Amino acid sequence: GMAAGNIVQLTIGSNLIGIGKYAFNNCVNIKDVQLGNGLNSLEDYAFANCRNLNTVSMDFNTNLPMLGAYAFSNCEQLQSFEVPTLLEAIGDFCFQNCSSLKSIKLTDKGVSYGLRRIGYKAFENCSSLERLDLPGSYDGAEDQKGDNVFHLSTVRGCISLKSISTPSQRLRFVSDAPDADFPGGDND
């Protein structure tokens, strides 16, 4: 059969429900991925190191609860990403080193999103990312005192980031890393 390494365009039909760990890791020729709306798991490193992956699209109502750890790490050409409304968690280091990622859509006005957790350093070194708009469902992590916090290490190395917004009145932005190089977030 054809080696996975030769795939340029990948379309996952609606009958495929899972993409396993390392499924397309290091498939450097993949440029375009379309995920079917039957997908309910996308595991760790699923598309990691797909260095020419440019676009990933999926239906906004895909019932995908989580993006695995490192799922899109080192996808240096990935331009943008829209999470499905039912997504609850973005895994640790999920988009780490996605240096061309200009926008990640986590929320939309008037639409209810389910995102509750953003993993450790999920967007680290996304050096083209300009803004991060958190949905109302997202209350951050609890610190020792039970306060809701957003750890700025999540966006460490995001040197183009100009704003982080949240409708939450409870969420506090905290530096948990001595080298956090984003000056601060705003609640609006």
Side-chain angles (χ1 to χ4, degrees):
M2 192 170 86
N6 296 329
I7 297 170
V8 174
Q9 182 167 13
L10 178 69
T11 302
I12 305 283
S14 59
N15 53 351
L16 186 89
I17 60 169
I19 297 176
K21 288 185 179 173
Y22 298 96
F24 298 99
N25 181 35
N26 282 317
C27 289
V28 294
N29 292 314
I30 294 182
K31 288 189 166 63
D32 178 49
V33 173
Q34 287 181 294
L35 300 171
N37 63 2
L39 192 68
N40 64 29
S41 85
L42 198 152
E43 295 188 25
D44 300 354
Y45 296 92
F47 290 98
N49 306 302
C50 290
R51 294 185 189 277
N52 290 300
L53 180 61
N54 192 276
T55 54
V56 176
S57 52
M58 74 181 102
D59 202 299
F60 75 95
N61 62 7
T62 300
N63 189 7
L64 180 65
M66 178 168 184
L67 297 175
Y70 297 94
F72 295 98
S73 65
N74 299 319
C75 290
E76 296 162 356
Q77 299 300 319
L78 187 62
Q79 305 287 315
S80 64
F81 194 92
E82 292 188 23
V83 305
T85 55
L86 295 166
L87 189 78
E88 293 170 18
I90 293 173
D92 295 349
F93 306 101
C94 188
F95 293 96
Q96 185 187 47
N97 302 328
C98 290
S99 52
S100 299
L101 189 68
K102 280 197 173 63
S103 84
I104 174 118
K105 189 173 179 183
L106 303 177
T107 184
D108 205 349
K109 286 205 178 0
V111 181
S112 174
Y113 278 75
L115 188 68
R116 304 232 179 285
R117 183 177 170 272
I118 297 175
Y120 184 65
K121 295 189 176 180
F123 303 111
E124 183 179 45
N125 297 330
C126 289
S127 50
S128 299
L129 190 65
E130 293 176 359
R131 57 181 300 134
L132 198 59
D133 296 320
L134 302 168
S137 58
Y138 177 78
D139 270 333
E142 280 198 6
D143 66 8
Q144 290 89 341
K145 299 192 290 284
D147 289 336
N148 297 89
V149 295
F150 178 92
H151 293 286
L152 290 173
S153 60
T154 307
V155 291
R156 183 174 165 266
C158 294
I159 53 176
S160 302
L161 195 62
K162 294 179 180 60
S163 84
I164 302 177
S165 71
T166 174
S168 170
Q169 297 306 307
R170 295 199 303 271
L171 194 60
R172 287 186 21 252
F173 294 88
V174 296
S175 175
D176 57 327
D179 50 1
D181 39 25
F182 181 69
D186 62 318
N187 294 50
D188 64 20

